[in-house]
Amino acid sequence: MAELRFDGRVAVVTGAGQGLGRGHALELAARGARVVVNDLGGDRSGAGASAGPAQAVADEITAAGGEAVADPGDVATPEGAGAIVQTALDAFGRVDIVVNNAGILRDRSFKNMTVAEFDAVIAVHLRGSFLVTSAAWPHLRERGYGRVVNTSSPAGLFGNFGQANYAAAKMGLVGFTRTLAQEGAKYGIGVNAIAPIAWTRMTEDLLPAEFADRLGAEQVAPLVAYLVHEDNAETGEVYTVGGGRVAKVFVAEGPGYAQAGTLSAEDVRDNWAAINAAEPSTAHRSMGEQMGPLIRRLTGG
Ligand code: NAD
């Protein structure tokens, strides 16, 4: 089988100054993509800024014979997000691929979480992904081609103590991904999400140290590379990835309970087991699909 190549393609990777984003940028560049390495260069909570990390990764790519430019902007502001895409256009004349990866943590149990902690996390992960994709979207549409990967998290998909802000942002990205996949389809734009697990500064005090080698960023980048390749026609999906394993995550609905008349609270109580049954379940690809059976039932179809 032919090697997956990105010659002629231009990729924007946000938060690529280290960790997973750096891994994605190196992987895409090694396969021929020209890469905008974006990173604000702050600490894990998002405080501070430095052009150093983005420049270091761009230099690393260039030294290895690839093509990259650094961008030190903030994904969470319209100006910063616009400038990231403009950097791609100025340096390489186009943009084909967007990998929304930039992220911060402000973990706190819900009872102690402040508005500022909630807003800061939503701003980088959810708003940042919206802003960068939004800046790139007209260019992808114009060319009739694009690939976008958003970075969700098992914490959002399945919940995690102390991460109400982060989980809300990460599950928000699932809805964002699935909706953009539907809106992008007619323009040849594919949009998927990953929910990774890897040893980075974000997880170094969470994961046992002996896992560091086996949970490297290089175990996540191959999925991103495939998802943003033109060979991949899958869109609107979410994949967990890490430590050598990749799996699709399904948003599925059980068979449920339905009745012809008006539902009462007692009906819900009395049919609770059927309502909670998990099998057989259906994984819907859109809200339209999910509503189909209800519409058919109401119209007697
Ligand atoms: P990391 O802290 O090593 O990398 C995140 C990068 O994003 C940093 O370099 C940081 O400077 C940059 N960044 C933060 N705010 C930014 C902003 N406003 N604009 C531009 N850049 C900004 O962490 P990581 O583990 O590599 O995380 C990468 C992504 O993967 C994040 O979205 C994270 O939530 C997600 N994720 C990671 C894991 C894991 O196990 N490491 C698990 C699930 C999800």
Side-chain angles (χ1 to χ4, degrees), residues 25-37:
L26 295 179
E27 177 81 22
L28 295 175
R31 293 175 178 276
R34 289 170 289 169
V35 181
V36 175
V37 178

Side-chain angles (χ1 to χ4, degrees), residues 14-21 38-44 46 73-76 101-104 124-125 151-154 166 170 195-203 207:
T14 70
Q18 63 188 308
L20 288 170
N38 157 262
D39 205 290
L40 183 58
D43 70 14
R44 194 169 77 163
D74 182 352
V75 298
N101 165 84
I104 61 168
V124 176
H125 294 273
T151 308
S152 182
S153 169
Y166 183 80
K170 292 307 200 184
I197 183 80
W199 177 273
T200 67
R201 74 172 180 176
M202 210 177 247
T203 51
L207 298 169

Side-chain angles (χ1 to χ4, degrees), residues 14 17 65 73 79 132 142 144 198 215 223 226 240 253 256:
T14 70
E79 300 73 28
V132 175
E142 201 176 303
L215 289 176
L223 170 65
Y226 180 66
T240 51
E253 188 180 38

Side-chain angles (χ1 to χ4, degrees), residues 10-295:
V10 173
V12 165
V13 184
T14 70
Q18 63 188 308
L20 288 170
R22 171 177 170 272
H24 306 334
L26 295 179
E27 177 81 22
L28 295 175
R31 293 175 178 276
R34 289 170 289 169
V35 181
V36 175
V37 178
N38 157 262
D39 205 290
L40 183 58
D43 70 14
R44 194 169 77 163
S45 75
S50 163
Q55 192 58 55
V57 174
D59 290 347
E60 194 178 346
I61 290 171
T62 309
E67 279 187 77
V69 289
D71 177 285
D74 182 352
V75 298
T77 68
E79 300 73 28
I84 294 167
V85 173
Q86 194 58 48
T87 298
L89 299 175
D90 292 346
F92 305 127
R94 58 189 288 161
V95 59
D96 305 282
I97 294 164
V98 176
V99 181
N100 289 307
N101 165 84
I104 61 168
L105 287 182
R106 302 271 174 103
D107 291 359
R108 190 87 65 197
S109 65
F110 182 60
K111 70 179 169 56
N112 295 323
M113 187 170 285
T114 64
V115 173
E117 287 164 346
F118 184 82
D119 286 349
V121 167
I122 297 289
V124 176
H125 294 273
L126 190 54
R127 191 167 190 264
S129 299
F130 162 75
L131 290 172
V132 175
T133 311
S134 186
W137 200 253
H139 305 284
L140 305 181
R141 275 185 50 161
E142 201 176 303
R143 283 189 181 275
Y145 178 79
R147 293 287 182 268
V148 178
V149 163
N150 297 311
T151 308
S152 182
S153 169
L157 296 170
F158 308 115
N160 198 30
F161 192 98
Q163 295 198 305
N165 49 3
Y166 183 80
K170 292 307 200 184
M171 198 55 172
L173 283 167
V174 172
F176 180 66
T177 297
R178 295 174 76 97
T179 298
L180 292 202
Q182 291 171 35
E183 296 194 18
K186 67 172 180 280
Y187 304 106
I189 306 171
V191 187
N192 291 285
I194 64 164
I197 183 80
W199 177 273
T200 67
R201 74 172 180 176
M202 210 177 247
T203 51
E204 64 191 1
D205 48 10
L206 195 87
L207 298 169
E210 65 266 31
F211 292 169
D213 287 346
R214 281 185 292 161
L215 289 176
E218 70 283 356
Q219 297 271 41
V220 176
L223 170 65
V224 171
Y226 180 66
L227 289 176
V228 301
H229 195 271
E230 62 198 41
D231 281 3
N232 171 43
E234 202 72 62
T235 186
E237 301 299 343
V238 185
Y239 299 89
T240 51
V241 55
R245 176 175 180 268
V246 182
K248 183 184 257 191
V249 174
F250 297 89
V251 178
E253 188 180 38
Y257 164 78
Q259 63 165 38
T262 302
L263 194 70
S264 70
E266 288 75 19
D267 291 331
V268 173
R269 175 195 63 199
D270 297 344
N271 293 285
W272 196 235
I275 289 166
N276 283 284
E279 297 287 340
S281 61
T282 309
H284 304 292
R285 296 179 63 91
S286 68
M287 190 180 81
E289 256 185 47
Q290 190 266 341
M291 285 180 63
L294 175 65
I295 303 292

